[in-house]
Amino acid sequence: MAAAVVALYRLISYWAVLAVGWVAWLLLRDGVRARLATAGRWLLGVVGRHEDEAGVRPVG
């Protein structure tokens, strides 16, 4: 029983954290980050355009 608990603890405390870190690293690489920045600028442009039509001054 103790060996199973230790193995589960080791799996969660080390390997699961390592796996989450690898996934985060892959998502934050330059290519993905650039695509997200482009999508964010596009989204802000779309939102800003709607705010201008409503008579609200865009922030920034």
Side-chain angles (χ1 to χ4, degrees):
M1 180 71 164
V5 171
V6 169
L8 182 62
Y9 171 78
R10 188 68 176 164
L11 179 73
I12 293 170
S13 69
Y14 182 75
W15 291 107
V17 173
L18 187 67
V20 169
W22 272 101
V23 169
W25 180 76
L26 289 171
L27 291 175
L28 294 175
R29 287 178 22 201
D30 289 340
V32 174
R33 201 174 352 176
R35 280 183 247 139
L36 287 174
T38 302
R41 283 192 297 273
W42 175 82
L43 183 61
L44 288 175
V46 169
V47 169
R49 188 169 34 239
H50 290 297
E51 289 176 351
D52 286 341
E53 292 169 1
V56 177
R57 186 173 157 244
V59 176

